[in-house]
Coordinates of all heavy atoms in Angstrom, one line a residue:
I29 N 0.8 -1.2 0.0 CA 0.0 0.0 0.0 C 0.9 1.3 0.0 O 0.6 2.3 -0.6 CB -1.0 0.0 1.2 CG1 -1.9 -1.2 1.1 CG2 -1.8 1.3 1.3 CD1 -2.8 -1.4 2.3
W30 N 2.0 1.2 0.7 CA 3.0 2.3 0.7 C 3.5 2.5 -0.7 O 3.6 3.6 -1.2 CB 4.1 2.0 1.7 CG 5.2 3.1 1.6 CD1 5.1 4.3 2.3 CD2 6.4 3.1 0.9 NE1 6.3 5.0 2.0 CE2 7.1 4.3 1.1 CE3 7.0 2.1 0.1 CZ2 8.3 4.6 0.6 CZ3 8.2 2.4 -0.5 CH2 8.9 3.6 -0.3
V31 N 3.9 1.4 -1.4 CA 4.4 1.4 -2.8 C 3.4 2.1 -3.7 O 3.8 2.8 -4.6 CB 4.8 0.0 -3.3 CG1 5.1 0.0 -4.8 CG2 6.0 -0.5 -2.5
M32 N 2.1 1.9 -3.4 CA 1.1 2.5 -4.2 C 0.8 3.9 -3.9 O -0.2 4.6 -4.3 CB -0.2 1.7 -4.1 CG -0.1 0.3 -4.8 SD -1.7 -0.6 -4.9 CE -2.0 -1.1 -3.2
S33 N 1.6 4.5 -2.9 CA 1.5 5.9 -2.5 C 0.2 6.3 -1.8 O -0.2 7.4 -1.9 CB 1.7 6.8 -3.8 OG 2.9 6.6 -4.4
K34 N -0.3 5.3 -1.1 CA -1.5 5.6 -0.3 C -1.3 6.3 1.0 O -2.2 6.9 1.6 CB -2.3 4.3 -0.1 CG -2.8 3.6 -1.4 CD -3.9 4.4 -2.1 CE -4.5 3.7 -3.2 NZ -5.6 4.4 -3.9
F35 N 0.0 6.3 1.5 CA 0.3 7.0 2.7 C 1.8 7.3 2.6 O 2.5 6.8 1.7 CB 0.0 6.2 4.0 CG 0.8 4.9 4.1 CD1 2.0 4.8 4.8 CD2 0.3 3.7 3.5 CE1 2.7 3.6 5.0 CE2 1.0 2.5 3.6 CZ 2.2 2.5 4.3
D36 N 2.3 8.1 3.5 CA 3.7 8.7 3.3 C 4.8 7.9 4.0 O 5.9 7.7 3.4 CB 3.7 10.1 3.9 CG 2.8 11.0 3.0 OD1 2.7 10.8 1.8 OD2 2.3 12.0 3.6
E37 N 4.7 7.4 5.2 CA 5.8 6.9 5.9 C 5.7 5.4 6.2 O 4.6 5.0 6.7 CB 6.0 7.7 7.3 CG 6.4 9.1 7.1 CD 6.7 9.8 8.4 OE1 6.9 9.1 9.4 OE2 6.8 11.0 8.4
L38 N 6.7 4.7 6.0 CA 6.8 3.2 6.3 C 7.9 3.0 7.3 O 8.9 2.4 7.0 CB 7.0 2.4 5.0 CG 6.9 0.9 5.1 CD1 5.4 0.5 5.5 CD2 7.3 0.2 3.8
S39 N 7.8 3.6 8.5 CA 8.8 3.6 9.5 C 9.0 2.1 10.0 O 8.1 1.4 10.3 CB 8.5 4.5 10.6 OG 8.2 5.8 10.2
I40 N 10.3 1.8 10.2 CA 10.6 0.4 10.6 C 10.2 0.1 12.0 O 10.1 -1.0 12.4 CB 12.1 0.1 10.4 CG1 13.0 1.1 11.2 CG2 12.5 0.1 9.0 CD1 14.5 0.7 11.2
N41 N 10.0 1.2 12.8 CA 9.6 1.0 14.2 C 8.2 1.4 14.5 O 7.8 1.6 15.7 CB 10.6 1.8 15.1 CG 10.5 3.3 14.9 OD1 10.2 3.8 13.8 ND2 10.7 4.1 15.9
K42 N 7.4 1.5 13.5 CA 6.0 1.9 13.7 C 5.1 0.7 13.3 O 5.2 0.2 12.2 CB 5.6 3.1 12.9 CG 6.4 4.4 13.3 CD 6.0 4.9 14.7 CE 6.8 6.1 15.1 NZ 6.6 7.3 14.2
P43 N 4.1 0.4 14.2 CA 3.2 -0.7 13.8 C 2.2 -0.2 12.8 O 2.0 1.0 12.5 CB 2.5 -1.0 15.2 CG 2.6 0.3 15.9 CD 3.9 0.9 15.5
I44 N 1.4 -1.1 12.2 CA 0.3 -0.8 11.3 C -0.7 0.0 12.1 O -1.1 -0.3 13.2 CB -0.3 -2.1 10.8 CG1 0.6 -2.8 9.8 CG2 -1.6 -1.7 10.1 CD1 0.1 -4.1 9.4
P45 N -1.2 1.1 11.5 CA -2.2 2.0 12.2 C -3.5 1.3 12.3 O -3.9 0.4 11.4 CB -2.2 3.3 11.4 CG -1.8 2.8 10.0 CD -0.8 1.7 10.2
D46 N -4.4 1.8 13.2 CA -5.7 1.2 13.3 C -6.6 1.5 12.1 O -7.5 0.7 11.8 CB -6.4 1.8 14.5 CG -5.8 1.3 15.9 OD1 -5.1 0.3 15.8 OD2 -5.9 2.0 16.9
D47 N -6.2 2.5 11.3 CA -7.1 2.8 10.2 C -6.6 2.1 8.9 O -7.1 2.5 7.8 CB -7.1 4.3 9.9 CG -5.8 5.0 9.5 OD1 -4.8 4.2 9.6 OD2 -5.8 6.1 9.2
M48 N -5.7 1.1 9.0 CA -5.3 0.4 7.8 C -6.6 -0.1 7.0 O -6.6 -0.2 5.8 CB -4.4 -0.8 8.1 CG -4.0 -1.6 6.9 SD -2.9 -3.0 7.4 CE -2.8 -3.8 5.8
I49 N -7.6 -0.5 7.8 CA -8.8 -1.1 7.1 C -9.4 -0.2 6.2 O -10.0 -0.6 5.2 CB -9.8 -1.6 8.2 CG1 -10.9 -2.4 7.6 CG2 -10.3 -0.4 9.0 CD1 -11.8 -3.0 8.7
D50 N -9.2 1.1 6.4 CA -9.9 2.1 5.5 C -9.2 2.2 4.2 O -9.8 2.7 3.2 CB -9.8 3.5 6.2 CG -10.6 3.6 7.5 OD1 -11.6 2.8 7.6 OD2 -10.3 4.4 8.4
Y51 N -8.0 1.7 4.1 CA -7.2 1.7 2.8 C -7.6 0.5 1.9 O -7.2 0.5 0.8 CB -5.7 1.7 3.1 CG -5.1 2.9 3.7 CD1 -5.1 3.0 5.1 CD2 -4.5 3.9 3.0 CE1 -4.6 4.2 5.7 CE2 -4.0 5.0 3.6 CZ -4.0 5.1 5.0 OH -3.5 6.2 5.6
C52 N -8.3 -0.5 2.5 CA -8.4 -1.7 1.8 C -9.9 -2.0 1.5 O -10.8 -1.7 2.3 CB -7.9 -2.9 2.7 SG -6.2 -2.7 3.2
P53 N -10.1 -2.8 0.4 CA -11.5 -3.2 0.2 C -12.0 -4.1 1.3 O -11.3 -5.0 1.8 CB -11.3 -4.1 -1.1 CG -10.1 -3.6 -1.7 CD -9.2 -3.2 -0.6
N54 N -13.3 -3.8 1.7 CA -13.9 -4.5 2.8 C -14.8 -5.6 2.2 O -15.8 -5.3 1.6 CB -14.8 -3.6 3.7 CG -15.3 -4.3 4.9 OD1 -15.8 -5.4 4.8 ND2 -15.3 -3.6 6.0
L55 N -14.3 -6.9 2.3 CA -15.1 -8.0 1.7 C -16.4 -8.2 2.3 O -17.4 -8.6 1.6 CB -14.2 -9.3 1.7 CG -13.2 -9.4 0.5 CD1 -12.2 -8.4 0.6 CD2 -12.6 -10.8 0.6
Q56 N -16.5 -8.0 3.6 CA -17.8 -8.2 4.3 C -18.9 -7.2 3.7 O -20.1 -7.5 3.7 CB -17.6 -8.0 5.8 CG -17.0 -9.1 6.5 CD -17.0 -9.0 8.0 OE1 -16.6 -7.9 8.5 NE2 -17.4 -10.0 8.7
N57 N -18.4 -6.0 3.3 CA -19.3 -5.0 2.7 C -19.4 -5.2 1.2 O -20.0 -4.3 0.5 CB -18.9 -3.6 3.1 CG -19.0 -3.3 4.6 OD1 -19.7 -4.0 5.3 ND2 -18.3 -2.3 5.1
E58 N -18.8 -6.3 0.7 CA -18.9 -6.6 -0.7 C -18.2 -5.5 -1.6 O -18.7 -5.2 -2.7 CB -20.3 -6.9 -1.2 CG -20.9 -8.1 -0.5 CD -22.3 -8.4 -1.0 OE1 -22.9 -7.6 -1.8 OE2 -22.9 -9.4 -0.5
E59 N -17.2 -4.9 -1.0 CA -16.5 -3.8 -1.8 C -15.6 -4.5 -2.9 O -14.9 -5.5 -2.6 CB -15.6 -3.0 -0.9 CG -16.4 -2.1 0.0 CD -15.6 -1.2 0.9 OE1 -14.4 -1.3 0.9 OE2 -16.2 -0.4 1.6
G60 N -15.5 -3.9 -4.0 CA -14.7 -4.4 -5.1 C -13.3 -3.9 -5.0 O -12.8 -3.4 -3.9
P61 N -12.5 -3.9 -6.1 CA -11.1 -3.6 -6.0 C -10.8 -2.1 -6.1 O -9.6 -1.7 -6.1 CB -10.5 -4.3 -7.2 CG -11.7 -4.3 -8.2 CD -12.9 -4.4 -7.4
E62 N -11.8 -1.2 -6.1 CA -11.6 0.2 -6.4 C -10.6 0.9 -5.5 O -9.8 1.8 -5.9 CB -12.9 0.9 -6.3 CG -13.9 0.6 -7.4 CD -14.6 -0.7 -7.2 OE1 -14.6 -1.2 -6.1 OE2 -15.1 -1.3 -8.2
K63 N -10.5 0.6 -4.2 CA -9.6 1.2 -3.3 C -8.1 1.0 -3.7 O -7.3 1.8 -3.4 CB -9.8 0.8 -1.9 CG -11.1 1.4 -1.2 CD -11.2 0.9 0.2 CE -12.4 1.6 0.9 NZ -12.6 1.1 2.3
F64 N -7.9 -0.1 -4.4 CA -6.5 -0.4 -4.8 C -6.3 0.0 -6.3 O -5.1 0.3 -6.6 CB -6.2 -1.9 -4.7 CG -6.0 -2.3 -3.2 CD1 -6.0 -3.6 -2.9 CD2 -5.7 -1.3 -2.2 CE1 -5.7 -4.0 -1.6 CE2 -5.5 -1.7 -0.9 CZ -5.5 -3.1 -0.6
N65 N -7.3 -0.1 -7.1 CA -7.0 0.1 -8.6 C -7.3 1.5 -9.1 O -7.2 1.8 -10.3 CB -7.6 -1.0 -9.4 CG -9.1 -1.0 -9.4 OD1 -9.7 0.0 -9.0 ND2 -9.7 -2.1 -9.9
Q66 N -7.8 2.4 -8.2 CA -8.1 3.8 -8.6 C -7.2 4.7 -7.9 O -6.9 4.6 -6.7 CB -9.6 4.1 -8.4 CG -10.5 3.3 -9.3 CD -12.0 3.7 -9.0 OE1 -12.3 4.6 -8.2 NE2 -12.9 3.0 -9.7
N67 N -6.8 5.8 -8.6 CA -6.0 6.9 -8.0 C -4.7 6.4 -7.3 O -4.4 6.8 -6.2 CB -6.9 7.7 -7.0 CG -8.1 8.2 -7.6 OD1 -8.0 8.8 -8.8 ND2 -9.2 8.1 -7.0
I68 N -4.0 5.5 -8.0 CA -2.7 5.0 -7.4 C -1.6 5.6 -8.3 O -1.8 5.9 -9.4 CB -2.6 3.5 -7.3 CG1 -2.3 2.9 -8.7 CG2 -3.8 2.9 -6.7 CD1 -1.6 1.6 -8.6
Q69 N -0.5 5.8 -7.6 CA 0.7 6.2 -8.3 C 1.9 5.5 -7.7 O 2.3 5.7 -6.5 CB 0.9 7.7 -8.1 CG 2.1 8.3 -8.8 CD 2.1 8.3 -10.3 OE1 1.0 8.7 -10.8 NE2 3.1 7.8 -10.9
L70 N 2.4 4.5 -8.5 CA 3.6 3.8 -7.9 C 4.7 4.7 -7.6 O 5.1 5.6 -8.4 CB 4.0 2.7 -8.9 CG 3.1 1.5 -9.1 CD1 3.9 0.4 -9.9 CD2 2.6 0.9 -7.8
R71 N 5.4 4.5 -6.5 CA 6.6 5.2 -6.2 C 7.7 4.8 -7.2 O 7.7 3.7 -7.7 CB 7.0 4.9 -4.8 CG 6.0 5.4 -3.7 CD 6.4 5.1 -2.3 NE 5.4 5.5 -1.4 CZ 5.2 6.7 -0.8 NH1 6.1 7.7 -1.2 NH2 4.2 6.9 0.0
P72 N 8.6 5.7 -7.4 CA 9.7 5.4 -8.4 C 10.6 4.3 -7.8 O 10.7 4.1 -6.6 CB 10.5 6.8 -8.4 CG 9.6 7.8 -7.9 CD 8.7 7.1 -6.9
F73 N 11.2 3.6 -8.7 CA 12.1 2.5 -8.4 C 13.1 2.9 -7.3 O 13.3 2.1 -6.3 CB 12.9 2.0 -9.6 CG 13.8 0.9 -9.3 CD1 13.4 -0.5 -9.4 CD2 15.1 1.1 -9.0 CE1 14.2 -1.5 -9.2 CE2 16.0 0.0 -8.7 CZ 15.5 -1.3 -8.8
E74 N 13.8 4.0 -7.4 CA 14.8 4.4 -6.5 C 14.2 4.5 -5.1 O 14.9 4.1 -4.1 CB 15.5 5.7 -6.9 CG 16.6 6.1 -6.0 CD 17.5 7.2 -6.5 OE1 17.3 7.6 -7.6 OE2 18.3 7.7 -5.7

């Protein structure tokens, strides 16, 4: 999700935040792939 530029910092000493679920399709709510395949910008290789 970081590679897809959905948030800014991937700190090595920080746990996943409680709002991670908001970044992801919710299968229980029958959400499709839109949260991942819309408005993404892959970070550069470097």
